[in-house]
Amino acid sequence: MRLIAVGCEYAGVTTLIDGLYAWGNERGVHHHLDDHFTIPDAYHLDEAEQQGFIDMLPAIKERFQRFQIVYHVRLMHKFDHILLGGFHIEEMVYGPRYYYPGINIAVREYEPDMPDDAILVHLHARPEVIRRRMETAPHPRQLVPPEDVERILERFDEEVAQSWIHRKLAIDTSDLTPGALLETFLERSVPYLNTRDALTRMR
C-alpha cells in the first residue's frame, strides 16, 4: 500500500499510520514509514537539532521541505508499501502559514510523478474534539494553536479537494478509538486497493 495520510494536527494521522505499520508487520508486510514532515522533525532530531530547525531562516525551511518532498516521491516508486504522514498536502497548509510566510509555494506539480495507485486519506475531526485532544494529550512542540483549528481544518478540506490524486477518501475521527480508526480505514479503503494490496488485506 502506498498511503498519504493528511489532516490537522490531532486529527489522527500518526495514530493511523502507526496502526497500519503494526497491522502490516503482523502479516509480514513491512511498510516504509515517514512521518517527519512537520517542522521540527521530532522523530530523528534531538532537542537542540529541533530548535535549530525552528530557528532556520524561512527561505531555507521552504527549500528543505521542497527537497524532501521530491525525495519522498522517489521513495513512493521504490517501495510497494509506504506510509507518509502529512507530506505535500500538509506543506501547502502549514508552510505559508507557520514556516515561511510570504513565500509562494506550489507542490501540486509533484502529484503527476506519484504512483497511480497512491491513496490519499484525509482525517478530520470536529473543532471542539481537536481542541480537547490538545488539552488532554498535548504534543511537545504543538504547531497549530487552538484559535487556528477551524481555519486549518478548512485548508485541509480545500487542498484535498484540489488534489489530483484519484484514490482518496475522508474519515471523521471525532468519535473513533485508535482501533476503530484502523478498522474504519481498512474497510473503507477496499475500493481503492490495487490487486497486491487487496490480497494483503485478505491475509
Side-chain angles (χ1 to χ4, degrees), residues 112-187:
D113 296 327
M114 297 179 186
D116 291 337
D117 61 359
I119 299 172
L120 174 62
V121 58
H122 174 206
L123 305 179
H124 58 94
R126 298 186 298 274
E128 65 271 20
V129 173
I130 296 289
R131 278 190 277 267
R132 184 168 66 246
R133 292 172 180 171
M134 289 178 173
E135 294 176 0
T136 58
H139 296 167
R141 292 185 180 273
Q142 181 171 309
L143 179 66
V144 179
E147 62 271 19
D148 282 5
V149 169
E150 280 84 359
R151 181 54 184 152
I152 294 301
L153 289 169
E154 291 173 358
R155 288 289 296 117
F156 273 104
D157 282 339
E158 294 165 358
E159 291 302 327
V160 170
Q162 294 175 39
S163 173
W164 299 340
I165 296 175
H166 298 295
R167 305 179 189 217
K168 54 185 174 182
L169 65 150
I171 299 174
D172 186 339
T173 71
S174 298
D175 303 309
L176 298 179
T177 63
L181 171 56
L182 176 61
E183 288 304 317
T184 299
F185 172 79
L186 291 173
E187 177 181 345

Side-chain angles (χ1 to χ4, degrees), residues 1-201:
M1 178 184 298
R2 295 181 173 102
L3 179 71
I4 302 169
V6 305
C8 178
E9 189 177 17
Y10 295 94
V13 170
T14 298
T15 298
L16 176 60
I17 61 176
D18 283 351
L20 281 168
Y21 186 81
W23 175 88
N25 283 341
E26 292 171 358
R27 289 156 180 79
V29 178
H30 304 293
H31 292 85
H32 180 90
L33 188 155
D34 281 318
D35 187 20
H36 55 72
F37 298 96
T38 306
I39 295 177
D41 171 9
Y43 283 83
H44 305 293
L45 304 180
D46 62 25
E47 284 293 323
E49 291 167 334
Q50 289 180 43
Q51 189 59 51
F53 205 163
I54 292 171
D55 294 339
M56 281 197 307
L57 294 173
I60 304 301
K61 289 180 184 176
E62 187 279 329
R63 181 175 296 184
F64 177 86
Q65 293 292 84
R66 178 160 35 95
F67 287 176
Q68 76 161 335
I69 287 171
V70 172
Y71 171 74
H72 284 84
V73 169
R74 173 179 172 272
L75 291 188
M76 293 180 73
H77 290 276
K78 180 178 180 180
F79 295 104
D80 289 334
H81 302 287
I82 183 169
L83 307 171
L84 299 175
F87 201 35
H88 68 301
I89 299 289
E90 177 181 299
E91 194 61 26
M92 288 291 291
V93 176
Y94 292 162
R97 189 176 187 91
Y98 300 124
Y99 308 151
Y100 37 80
I103 298 177
N104 294 323
I105 63 168
V107 300
R108 191 79 59 218
E109 64 193 55
Y110 304 128
E111 291 187 339
D113 296 327
M114 297 179 186
D116 291 337
D117 61 359
I119 299 172
L120 174 62
V121 58
H122 174 206
L123 305 179
H124 58 94
R126 298 186 298 274
E128 65 271 20
V129 173
I130 296 289
R131 278 190 277 267
R132 184 168 66 246
R133 292 172 180 171
M134 289 178 173
E135 294 176 0
T136 58
H139 296 167
R141 292 185 180 273
Q142 181 171 309
L143 179 66
V144 179
E147 62 271 19
D148 282 5
V149 169
E150 280 84 359
R151 181 54 184 152
I152 294 301
L153 289 169
E154 291 173 358
R155 288 289 296 117
F156 273 104
D157 282 339
E158 294 165 358
E159 291 302 327
V160 170
Q162 294 175 39
S163 173
W164 299 340
I165 296 175
H166 298 295
R167 305 179 189 217
K168 54 185 174 182
L169 65 150
I171 299 174
D172 186 339
T173 71
S174 298
D175 303 309
L176 298 179
T177 63
L181 171 56
L182 176 61
E183 288 304 317
T184 299
F185 172 79
L186 291 173
E187 177 181 345
R188 294 186 55 188
S189 64
V190 169
Y192 306 98
L193 301 179
N194 59 26
T195 301
R196 178 196 63 237
D197 293 336
L199 292 174
T200 300
R201 175 72 174 86

